[in-house]
Amino acid sequence: MAIGYRFTEYIPPQDDKPGFESLLKIFLQLVTISSGDVGEALNWLSSLDKQYNITSDEYGIGDFIEDLRKKGYLDEDKEKGTLQLTAKSEQGIRKSALEEIFGKLKKGGKGGHATPHTGTGDEASTDRREYRFGDALEQISMTDSLRNAQINHGIGDLRLTEQDLEVTETEHKTQAATVLMIDISHSMILYGEDRITPAKKVAMALAELIKQKYPKDTLDILVFGNDAWQIEVKDLPYLEVGPYHTNTVAGLELAMDILRKRKTPNKQIFMITDGKPTCLKEGVHYYKNSFGLDRKVVNKTLNLAAQCRRIKIPITTFMIASDPYLQAFVDEFTKVNNGQAYYSSLKGLGHLVFRDYKQNRKKNF
């Protein structure tokens, strides 16, 4: 049979302009940065179009806006006469954040979390052991068992006995309760660096990950500035930084209150911040000190870290700053809690949160 090459006429690639789906991805990014301001996001999109000519004569920005309405991504606020996001858009933003930060994830079954204990479960581990009465048939590792049979009996007398069997260990499942704390103090947008948008994206991606892959887990989100308060996942696209100091104590107290109500033994706190604690609330008044490390504020913060350790709530801190004295504080805070700390750039923040969520869900704290 002759082997050769078949040549066809070369067709150059078409210079296609973005259609609805491509423009939607850009729009969802812009509306996240604008904290849910649809008008501002569309103005930015129009500016990008003028500068880079991203649309075509056949499909322009006007067509895209009309499709956003028709497909249920935008609705009109009749009182204000402005466009606003719908629940479909909010979900689209979360999915976009998940894809951007964590990549494409395979759909899993109903979620659960591995403990250090082995037994009859539904997630295979890498460990092997001898067969025991009561082990399920599907746990038997045939490759390892046949290898044992060959070693024990030889090829000439190959037979498989109970003593040759090896089984794959499986892991029990447990649920996990996570509180994600997001710093919204003014420093999160200082020095020309937008730190709040990556933090929002991480929160939305983590929420979507849990919803898709670990639906039995719980994720509560709170923000902290001068005070701390809980927000819903749907509120994240609209989250903005305020003229606040950093009351880490209020955030930790609220996180602990939330986790006390959760029945699962696996509890954890993730804290995304870029600075030191600078504020306490004493009655109706605030004690504030932005200069250096105020021991009154720091000691109260460390006391709560120790309390979390006593009730087995580890705190993982993601510090978006590189100042040596801030790192020294986080090191002390982490040591008191026996938790973990990372000094992350904005680019690597999502990957670190994802990795630690995956790791921590396997622990029985």
Side-chain angles (χ1 to χ4, degrees), residues 6-15:
R6 184 182 296 275
F7 294 93
T8 59
E9 182 180 358
Y10 173 70
I11 301 175
Q14 300 298 313
D15 184 21

Side-chain angles (χ1 to χ4, degrees), residues 126-241:
T126 57
D127 297 329
R128 301 283 188 273
R129 61 167 173 80
E130 72 283 357
Y131 174 83
R132 299 171 190 161
F133 179 77
D135 286 334
L137 184 63
E138 57 268 21
Q139 284 182 259
I140 297 175
S141 172
M142 291 307 301
T143 301
D144 295 310
S145 300
L146 288 171
R147 182 200 61 212
N148 293 338
Q150 180 179 348
I151 294 172
N152 294 337
H153 311 295
I155 297 177
D157 185 25
L158 184 60
R159 63 185 186 277
L160 190 64
T161 67
E162 183 177 330
Q163 286 69 38
D164 302 321
L165 297 178
E166 275 193 39
V167 299
T168 302
E169 287 278 28
T170 56
E171 297 173 335
H172 286 296
K173 302 289 186 165
T174 185
Q175 295 170 275
T178 303
V179 171
L180 178 61
M181 297 172 52
I182 302 176
D183 183 351
I184 58 167
S185 62
H186 186 58
S187 61
M188 291 287 277
I189 55 170
L190 281 180
Y191 316 116
E193 186 172 48
D194 176 11
R195 297 168 176 174
I196 191 63
T197 297
K200 288 192 294 185
K201 286 184 178 181
V202 167
M204 289 187 289
L206 188 59
E208 196 64 19
L209 170 73
I210 291 173
K211 180 181 177 182
Q212 288 186 15
K213 202 169 185 183
Y214 310 111
K216 292 183 180 180
D217 283 7
T218 61
L219 174 66
D220 294 281
I221 302 171
L222 65 87
V223 294
F224 62 104
N226 290 348
D227 298 285
W229 60 95
Q230 195 169 356
I231 64 172
E232 301 293 331
V233 172
K234 64 182 179 63
D235 299 326
L236 281 166
Y238 312 99
L239 188 62
E240 296 181 279
V241 167

Side-chain angles (χ1 to χ4, degrees), residues 65-117:
I65 295 173
E66 187 61 28
D67 278 348
L68 286 173
R69 291 172 178 265
K70 289 180 180 178
K71 295 177 184 290
Y73 287 95
L74 294 182
D75 199 2
E76 187 174 353
D77 186 332
K78 295 181 179 179
E79 293 183 1
K80 298 180 180 179
T82 57
L83 293 172
Q84 61 184 10
L85 298 176
T86 63
K88 183 175 182 179
S89 281
E90 292 164 356
Q91 184 181 27
I93 293 171
R94 294 196 299 272
K95 288 184 176 180
S96 175
L98 177 65
E99 185 174 324
E100 176 188 347
I101 295 175
F102 299 151
K104 295 181 178 179
L105 298 174
K106 296 180 180 179
K107 291 184 179 179
K110 294 297 182 182
H113 299 279
T115 72
H117 309 295

